[in-house]
Amino acid sequence: KVLSYGDSCLRKGDADLLKHGQWLNDQVISFWFEYLVRDKYKDLVSSHQILLVPPSLTFILATVGSPQEASMLLETMQPDRAEVAVFAINDSNDIGAANSGFHWTVLAFERASKTFRHYDSAPGCSSASAQAARRTLLATKDALGVPSYSPDDIVEVQAMPRQQNGFDCGVFACCVTDMLCKWQAEAKRCEQQEPCMREALCREASNWRAGVQKLIGELQGRGS
């Protein structure tokens, strides 16, 4: 075991995925979400400005969760109060096989604009990603307090930068989640910020793996 942090646990095999050329698994992305929730944006989370739903829970919601089950699973998070809710989307629909997908995207609900926004760094690569986003909307719309919404209401964010390889989708998903939190902290609307996001997000993505490796070392030093 490399690190226990909140509800996440990283083992050596997980930490090794932070090396260049590796596809990120659920454990690494869950750790990142946990860090944003417990540390970097804890005030936003406690004030219900941000709700981050980790990969494992999003996967359950998208594959087997009816709206009633989703409301029960999310009840303690009070999703109907969240200004922005972010879901880590995996394109797998095989509930019996962990880490069976091959593409990560992010679905965000922004209450101020009343939109669901899908951030995909390789659009067209996996139609299953769009389908998983649609299933997530259908499962969670009641819990979020927008029962009249349909999958046709999802905005595919065209300004999302494109990954240049077959393995960095998870990195882009983590970076855009961080960016969504930052926008909310600065009281900025997604639609206003997205046209300018490409350069900043690409820069963040290029440094993200090394930054998380350093972060893990710091958290180990804290005894987290």
Side-chain angles (χ1 to χ4, degrees):
K1 183 171 66 175
V2 173
L3 179 70
S4 289
Y5 180 74
D7 293 331
S8 69
C9 178
L10 291 178
R11 302 190 182 279
K12 185 180 184 301
D14 303 319
D16 285 345
L17 298 180
L18 291 167
K19 297 174 182 176
H20 180 72
Q22 300 298 311
W23 186 85
L24 302 185
N25 64 7
D26 289 43
Q27 285 72 31
V28 174
I29 295 178
S30 292
F31 162 73
W32 181 246
F33 272 51
E34 188 81 3
Y35 168 68
L36 298 181
V37 166
R38 290 173 60 89
D39 201 317
K40 191 170 183 179
Y41 298 110
K42 62 182 179 181
D43 291 341
L44 289 183
V45 173
S46 64
S47 61
H48 302 286
Q49 293 182 64
I50 283 285
L51 170 63
L52 301 185
V53 184
S56 56
L57 180 51
T58 298
F59 181 66
I60 292 171
L61 296 171
T63 51
V64 298
S66 68
Q68 294 76 22
E69 291 170 329
S71 294
M72 291 176 61
L73 288 168
L74 294 171
E75 183 177 7
T76 59
M77 297 181 176
Q78 297 180 288
D80 57 321
R81 296 180 63 185
E83 292 300 320
V84 173
V86 182
F87 301 87
I89 303 287
N90 184 285
D91 65 350
S92 173
N93 61 5
D94 184 358
I95 197 166
N99 291 321
S100 58
F102 69 92
H103 190 52
W104 291 104
T105 62
V106 164
L107 180 69
F109 171 68
E110 184 183 48
R111 196 171 301 280
S113 64
K114 299 181 180 179
T115 58
F116 282 88
R117 314 184 76 80
H118 190 216
Y119 298 86
D120 186 349
S121 60
C125 163
S126 172
S127 60
S129 295
Q131 293 168 7
R134 293 167 72 89
R135 292 197 305 270
T136 301
L137 180 152
L138 287 171
T140 62
K141 62 179 184 172
D142 287 1
L144 289 166
V146 286
S148 64
Y149 279 42
S150 78
D152 292 336
D153 293 314
I154 293 176
V155 175
E156 292 291 339
V157 179
Q158 300 302 313
M160 179 71 178
R162 307 301 186 242
Q163 64 190 79
Q164 301 301 308
N165 52 53
F167 48 79
D168 268 345
C169 55
V171 171
F172 276 89
C174 288
C175 290
V176 80
T177 298
D178 192 357
M179 188 166 286
L180 286 163
C181 293
K182 181 180 178 182
W183 291 345
Q184 183 61 24
E186 297 172 351
K188 295 176 178 177
R189 297 270 286 271
C190 294
E191 188 175 14
Q192 296 168 339
Q193 297 303 306
E194 285 164 357
C196 306
M197 72 186 293
R198 189 181 305 272
E199 182 178 346
L201 194 59
C202 287
R203 184 171 59 250
E204 290 293 325
S206 67
N207 297 320
W208 187 85
R209 291 177 186 269
V212 175
Q213 289 173 322
K214 181 180 178 182
L215 172 63
I216 290 171
E218 292 171 352
L219 293 173
Q220 288 173 323
R222 282 195 218 168
S224 296

